[in-house]
Each structure stands twice: as C-alpha cells, then as structure tokens.
Amino acid sequence: DLRNIRSVTVEQLLKHRSGLAEYFGDGFGEDANENRTKRYSAEESLAFAYGEDPEFKPGAEYGYNNTNYVLLGSLIEKADNTSYAKAIQRRIFNRVGMASTSIGARPSESGLARGYEFERNRRKDVSYTGWNAITGDGGVVTTAGDYAAFMHALFRESKLLSARMVERMCQAQEEEPDSGYGMGCRHSDTPWGVAWGHDGSITGFNAETWYIKSLDLTVVFFTNGDFQSEEPDVLVRAVKAYLKR
C-alpha cells in the first residue's frame, strides 16, 4: 500500500504537499534500465513506492514528488473513463492544435529528438526514458512550436482554463511561498517581473518554459542532453537578445 494515501487531498497532490513516498528512485531506475521497451502503467510505477515510509506528514511542507502527479493522472483517467493519453489528447492537444505532440513515443516514429547522457566522457543514448513515460508525471513528446501554442492557449487566450483559475494555479502557495510553486505551475522572478511556467527533466532531456505577462512573451527552451549549463541565466540572456531585435 501507499502509506498515508487516505489522508492526502487533491490540493496537496497539486501543490506537492502530500509527503507520499517517491516512486521515481533507484529501484525504478534500475528496473527501467533493464526493460528499455517497457511502458510503466500508473499501478506499476506506484508499486515502487508501496511500503516505503512517507517523506513527511500530509500538508506539513513542500516537497516535489513524482508520485503526486502519477496519482493525478490516474484521477483524470477515472474522470474521463479512458487512458491518460487519450484524455490529454482530447482535453488539450486537439483543442490547441498540437499536431506534433503525444504522450510517449515509439522509436520507429520519424522526427524524434534523441536524448543523451554522458558516461565516462562518452555520449550514451537514453531516449527510452522520455519516450516510455506515459503517466501523469511523465514528459510530453512535443515541439517548441506546439508547446508555445499550449502556453498561449493557457496563459494568454484562456482557452483551456479561465483567467481566474490560471491566476490561482500559478500563485505561489500560501503555506510556503518561497517554494515558488502553485498548483502545477511555477512562479519565477525575472528582470521583467513574474514569469509563469514550469521546468522539467528526465534522463536525457531538459526543459524550461516561461510566460512573462508584462511582455506578453513565451519562452520555450528544450535540450536533449542530460547536463547542466554553466550559464545559469541562459533564458534571461535569450530574452534580452530577443528584445534587442
């Protein structure tokens, strides 16, 4: 069983305040490395957290945790009575016109960017980590153009949620405002004021996205390498370069 699950609210899942055990640890990583073509269901993923001690009491603090969003994805499946992938396709991808976007991908598909990590100074293809992710915490396979369209639909056009709900979603949580995290949205400070968006990473892939309301500007930054830039302000530099045009 997933300890403390009956004491956790949906809001705590959205805010990463559940304290539930993290499934995405060494055990899951080792199993996924040995089964590189396997797509783990929500139940199979969560099994890696069964019996593990909770990280903290529900609601006590903020702690980013992939288990939370696997559970939220399962709630979407139950609400729509279909798979998570089909629900997101109907609710978001089709409505926004994201024709090059999917939940997960198959190696045989054309036009896919491959993900890499460095091992002993040699590049290693680890694309399977992103392509096999089909649960609520997983990476979406997309293009910069499609993702920018999603950001515009959400933040600029109110096509997916009302402006009032987006504001609530992206407001840093009252319990721990320094976390910068709302409900599925991160609140970041920039030289141009607040930016809404989210960052994300899985072995071989990294992403950072911003919507800067004061500029009505969307920034989508994707990389297919599992490494960190030595330039921490790369997005700020990119925006400054864009504004000089």
Side-chain angles (χ1 to χ4, degrees):
D1 288 344
L2 199 54
R3 296 182 181 177
N4 281 359
I5 185 62
R6 296 187 183 279
S7 302
V8 171
T9 67
V10 172
E11 183 173 339
Q12 287 168 348
L13 294 176
L14 285 164
K15 291 181 174 180
H16 290 293
R17 301 187 67 84
S18 73
L20 296 171
E22 171 66 83
Y23 90 88
F24 197 73
D26 292 341
F28 178 85
E30 291 169 4
D31 198 85
N33 189 50
E34 294 173 1
N35 300 278
R36 297 193 174 196
T37 61
K38 182 174 180 177
R39 290 181 156 195
Y40 292 80
S41 67
E43 292 76 12
E44 290 170 327
S45 298
L46 293 173
F48 287 90
Y50 289 167
E52 298 294 327
D53 291 335
E55 295 184 352
F56 48 82
K57 183 180 178 180
E61 59 185 272
Y62 165 82
Y64 197 95
N65 188 320
N66 292 278
T67 297
N68 296 325
Y69 277 67
V70 173
L71 289 167
L72 289 168
S74 295
L75 288 177
I76 291 173
E77 290 182 329
K78 292 184 183 301
D80 282 22
N81 195 31
T82 188
S83 69
Y84 173 71
K86 289 181 179 179
I88 298 303
Q89 184 72 46
R90 179 183 67 83
R91 286 174 175 264
I92 299 176
F93 301 161
N94 291 346
R95 291 178 67 184
V96 177
M98 300 169 71
S100 299
T101 302
S102 62
I103 301 295
R106 298 293 185 186
S108 59
E109 295 176 29
S110 62
L112 291 174
R114 308 189 77 86
Y116 300 94
E117 68 175 357
F118 285 91
E119 189 174 271
R120 297 177 182 176
N121 294 321
R122 298 188 65 178
R123 191 175 66 177
K124 179 182 177 182
D125 190 332
V126 289
S127 305
Y128 69 93
T129 61
W131 296 349
N132 290 342
I134 59 170
T135 48
D137 65 319
V140 173
V141 178
T142 189
T143 64
D146 268 14
Y147 204 85
F150 163 72
M151 298 279 280
H152 292 161
L154 180 64
F155 297 127
R156 178 193 290 170
E157 301 163 1
S158 300
K159 188 180 289 186
L160 299 173
L161 296 172
S162 69
R164 182 179 179 182
M165 187 170 287
V166 170
E167 182 78 32
R168 183 183 178 194
M169 180 179 79
C170 293
Q171 188 69 36
Q173 54 189 264
E174 293 180 0
E175 304 93 332
E176 207 164 338
D178 288 346
S179 69
Y181 205 87
M183 291 186 280
C185 180
R186 195 176 294 281
H187 171 118
S188 302
D189 293 322
T190 78
W192 306 277
V194 171
W196 291 342
H198 211 292
D199 59 340
S201 64
I202 193 167
T203 307
F205 300 96
N206 286 274
E208 180 85 31
T209 59
W210 285 356
Y211 175 68
I212 306 172
K213 192 172 183 178
S214 66
L215 301 177
D216 190 25
L217 180 68
T218 294
V219 182
V220 178
F221 184 78
F222 293 159
T223 64
N224 59 330
D226 191 24
F227 52 86
Q228 298 294 321
S229 169
E230 293 183 2
E231 173 52 76
D233 297 324
V234 64
L235 264 68
V236 171
R237 291 181 61 193
V239 174
K240 286 182 176 178
Y242 174 81
L243 294 175
K244 285 182 180 179
R245 294 173 56 188

